[in-house]
Amino acid sequence: CDTVRMQLTENKAIPKICLTPLRAKPKQSLKVLPLVVVGVGPHAKRIYFHFLKQRGLVPAVVVELESKRQLVDEYLEGFLPRPTLFLVADSLKDRQILSKRNASELAQLLKARKVRQAIISTEPKAHMAYATFFIEQGIDVLMDKPISAPVNSAYSLESANQTSKDFKRLENSCRQHPGVNFVVQAQRRFHPGYLFIRDYLSRTIDRLGVPITYIDIYHCDGTWNMPTEFFHRENHPYRYGYGKLLHSGYHFIDLFCWLVLLNRQLENKAPDRAEIFHTATFPEDLQAQLGEREYGRLFGKQVVSQLSAGFEKGVGSYGEVDSSSVIQLKRGSKIITTGSLNLLQSGFSRRAWPTLPEDTYKGNGRVRHERVNIQVGPLLNIQVHSYQSSEIRDTSNPIASSEVGGLEHFEIYIFRNSALIGGLPFQKFDLTSQQGKSLSRKYLGHNEGARETVMINFLKRKETGSGLASHKLTNELISAYYSCLAKGRSGKPPLASTPFKLDGL
């Protein structure tokens, strides 16, 4: 059909007929990678498929659940050639190992398509099944965090300890298949701002002989669930007895470990034990904070009547929404580093609607507030400040990307005891402004760019700095954190003590 173009004059728009018929552009043929991607959820689409398509690449095989067939079929229409789709019955989705039939059929398909690498981006309860299967097939793995998600981790000591056991199981499997490259997607290890900070800290600690003595990490991702949504949520769920720690919380426990690792440069000051106090806020606590009356004021009585089931049905066995902890790293009886981690999902959000939009991943009011404060004794203080005021999808935000409230606001403050260690007493680094024109319109953000770096290095089999072995401390801490919650829910002090050795990373 013909199209109508609008030609603007000073005062009005005059229609101008274009007699050239519109023709759809032929799809560009993509290069097929010997790669399988497991899971085609919001995260995989936004990160892995997006970056692959940008580079003219497409995976050979995609694995999804039977119930997602139509959605995945429609999505894969955008890829030429289309990946081979392998479907798994929903009844088998949470198994710790693949069924014999699925394992046999998938192995045959991967062999036929000559697949050598895998990206695992499923809901984390399925991580262990696919990870162990791919390792046994000799296939390299890039897996989203967390390593695993044991059900009822916040309520059962056995489940809390399972995270550490699952990690050791994967570690042993990798030892039995030494040719397999296993990488965990931990993008803050590749974030340009955090890379700069870690390098600066490393040189300072080495020069001064003083360890990191304090780290305070605060993160709020602005996830606001309406009362009834806790019952059916599968993407970042709570109803399985775990929550924030296995959602975005993993990244910040890992960030803490990755930074504290620098203390091993000082042999006589490297910690060997962690003592933890950890508490959390649960969905039932949120109902005490915002009840039916408050929801009525915000959204109206008619809407609240639809949400009332969320207040009537019990959520007493659901996972944590917010996490607060103090951790002390000791060498012998002496404290080397004190850490404070406050990780929230119930804080500031831009959500102002009761019904879920199509995009529940980055399009449901989520905004990120992130703050890190690092002390090297009385000599050095480094701070990170990164605060959004609009959703990532909101391109109408009037605030410049690099300013407070902008989508890519990320400032680094450095305070020095300049009379003793030299340098300026204060410096501020604005990461986004410094990168400036190097950020293309297709740039999704610092964290997303870091994820792309991990993915590309993985595909090229380059050293990523995020191999499985380097996540040992992170997973031991997560186990310890959940053991605190399990103790607290049973009326015991929410305390834990665990070895914290910095060797072998």
Side-chain angles (χ1 to χ4, degrees):
C1 62
D2 294 337
T3 61
V4 177
R5 294 178 181 170
M6 303 304 289
Q7 193 176 54
L8 296 177
T9 65
E10 290 182 4
N11 300 316
K12 59 183 178 179
I14 304 174
K16 177 181 179 181
I17 301 298
C18 171
L19 298 179
T20 306
L22 268 183
R23 290 185 177 88
K25 293 183 179 179
K27 292 180 182 178
Q28 180 183 1
S29 183
L30 305 173
K31 179 183 177 181
V32 179
L33 283 179
L35 170 73
V36 55
V37 177
V38 185
V40 192
H43 172 75
K45 290 177 184 177
R46 176 178 167 78
I47 303 300
Y48 300 123
F49 285 95
H50 171 80
F51 287 129
L52 287 171
K53 198 170 187 180
Q54 265 196 338
R55 292 171 176 268
L57 304 171
V58 62
V61 178
V62 166
V63 179
E64 248 301 350
L65 297 174
E66 283 274 8
S67 61
K68 305 293 184 182
R69 179 197 290 268
Q70 184 177 346
L71 292 174
V72 175
D73 269 336
E74 292 172 358
Y75 179 73
L76 294 180
E77 283 292 337
F79 293 83
L80 181 69
R82 281 174 55 117
T84 302
L85 179 58
F86 184 89
L87 295 170
V88 176
D90 286 54
S91 60
L92 304 175
K93 67 178 182 177
D94 293 335
R95 289 172 61 104
Q96 288 296 291
I97 58 173
L98 296 185
S99 70
K100 289 184 179 180
R101 180 176 177 177
N102 280 339
S104 175
E105 292 177 350
L106 183 55
Q108 291 179 42
L109 174 60
L110 298 180
K111 186 176 181 180
R113 299 304 305 270
K114 299 180 180 179
V115 168
R116 299 191 299 271
Q117 294 180 304
I119 294 177
I120 302 175
S121 190
T122 65
E123 207 286 320
K125 292 194 301 301
H127 280 186
M128 288 298 294
Y130 287 103
T132 52
F133 169 77
F134 289 132
I135 293 171
E136 290 167 359
Q137 298 297 313
I139 293 174
D140 292 345
V141 176
L142 169 60
M143 188 166 76
D144 284 337
K145 58 73 189 166
I147 300 297
S148 67
V151 174
N152 293 327
S153 289
Y155 296 86
S156 162
L157 280 175
E158 182 179 356
S159 295
N161 293 330
Q162 189 63 44
T163 295
S164 179
K165 292 178 181 178
D166 287 342
F167 178 86
K168 291 173 183 175
R169 178 179 151 199
L170 283 186
E171 199 173 34
N172 289 335
S173 187
C174 284
R175 288 195 190 101
Q176 294 168 14
H177 300 82
V180 172
N181 180 34
F182 197 112
V183 178
V184 180
Q185 177 65 274
Q187 74 271 7
R188 278 172 181 75
R189 296 189 184 195
F190 305 89
H191 187 292
Y194 286 118
L195 284 171
F196 167 78
I197 290 169
R198 193 170 190 267
D199 178 68
Y200 188 85
L201 282 169
S202 177
R203 289 183 281 111
T204 301
I205 291 168
D206 186 62
R207 179 167 66 93
L208 301 177
V210 179
I212 295 172
T213 54
Y214 178 80
I215 300 180
D216 172 40
I217 297 177
Y218 167 86
H219 177 258
C220 177
D221 60 20
T223 299
W224 183 7
N225 291 281
M226 296 296 109
T228 53
E229 292 168 9
F230 285 105
F231 308 132
H232 58 75
R233 186 169 182 140
E234 287 292 336
N235 176 29
H236 291 165
Y238 302 87
R239 61 197 183 108
Y240 300 110
Y242 59 82
K244 171 70 175 182
L245 290 180
L246 298 185
H247 301 165
S248 56
Y250 184 102
H251 290 303
F252 296 95
I253 295 175
D254 184 66
L255 178 64
F256 175 81
C257 293
W258 185 63
L259 292 172
V260 167
L261 172 64
L262 296 172
N263 283 352
R264 73 174 176 180
Q265 295 176 198
L266 307 175
E267 187 175 345
N268 64 335
K269 297 178 183 178
D272 54 28
R273 190 153 202 83
E275 294 185 356
I276 303 162
F277 173 84
H278 177 224
T279 61
T281 300
F282 292 84
E284 58 189 358
D285 300 311
L286 299 190
Q287 293 183 355
Q289 297 168 6
L290 275 80
E292 291 188 64
R293 179 180 299 179
E294 290 73 37
Y295 273 93
R297 290 171 180 164
L298 294 169
F299 298 111
K301 292 182 179 179
Q302 185 176 358
V303 171
V304 171
S305 65
Q306 300 170 5
L307 301 177
S308 61
F311 297 98
E312 296 168 1
K313 188 176 178 180
V315 289
S317 61
Y318 283 29
E320 76 286 354
V321 178
D322 302 334
S323 164
S324 298
S325 68
V326 174
I327 176 171
Q328 291 191 318
L329 305 183
K330 294 185 174 182
R331 183 175 181 84
S333 61
K334 302 298 188 295
I335 298 169
I336 302 297
T337 306
T338 297
S340 172
L341 282 75
N342 292 288
L343 312 175
L344 312 182
Q345 288 191 310
S346 71
F348 173 70
S349 171
R350 286 297 304 275
R351 181 173 183 177
W353 45 89
T355 56
L356 286 172
E358 184 177 347
D359 177 9
T360 59
Y361 181 55
K362 292 290 186 180
N364 196 29
R366 282 182 62 181
V367 288
R368 173 178 46 78
H369 283 188
E370 188 170 325
R371 183 190 71 240
V372 179
N373 195 318
I374 306 165
Q375 306 281 359
V376 180
L379 304 175
L380 177 72
N381 173 228
I382 299 179
Q383 300 179 20
V384 169
H385 296 275
S386 182
Y387 309 118
Q388 295 175 340
S389 62
S390 298
E391 297 177 290
I392 286 178
R393 68 169 183 164
D394 184 5
T395 57
S396 63
N397 186 6
I399 301 174
S401 186
S402 63
E403 294 180 1
V404 177
L407 293 181
E408 289 305 317
H409 171 246
F410 193 97
E411 292 181 324
I412 302 170
Y413 300 167
I414 300 182
F415 299 87
R416 302 178 185 87
N417 187 331
S418 56
L420 295 178
I421 69 173
L424 297 174
F426 172 72
Q427 280 184 292
K428 182 175 82 169
F429 298 89
D430 183 334
L431 179 62
T432 304
S433 294
Q434 286 184 337
Q435 288 184 312
K437 295 180 180 180
S438 66
L439 303 182
S440 70
R441 291 182 180 179
K442 294 181 179 179
Y443 188 68
L444 293 180
H446 301 315
N447 284 312
E448 285 76 2
R451 286 187 177 105
E452 182 184 21
T453 298
V454 179
M455 184 189 75
I456 297 304
N457 286 346
F458 166 76
L459 294 175
K460 292 182 177 180
R461 292 197 111 242
K462 289 184 177 181
E463 172 60 40
T464 63
S466 190
L468 180 68
S470 70
H471 285 259
K472 181 179 180 180
L473 279 179
T474 302
N475 284 273
E476 288 179 347
L477 277 192
I478 288 174
S479 269
Y481 269 48
Y482 271 120
S483 71
C484 289
L485 292 188
K487 291 175 184 176
R489 299 298 280 181
S490 65
K492 298 177 182 177
L495 304 172
S497 181
T498 183
F500 196 87
K501 297 181 180 179
L502 300 182
D503 54 349
L505 294 182

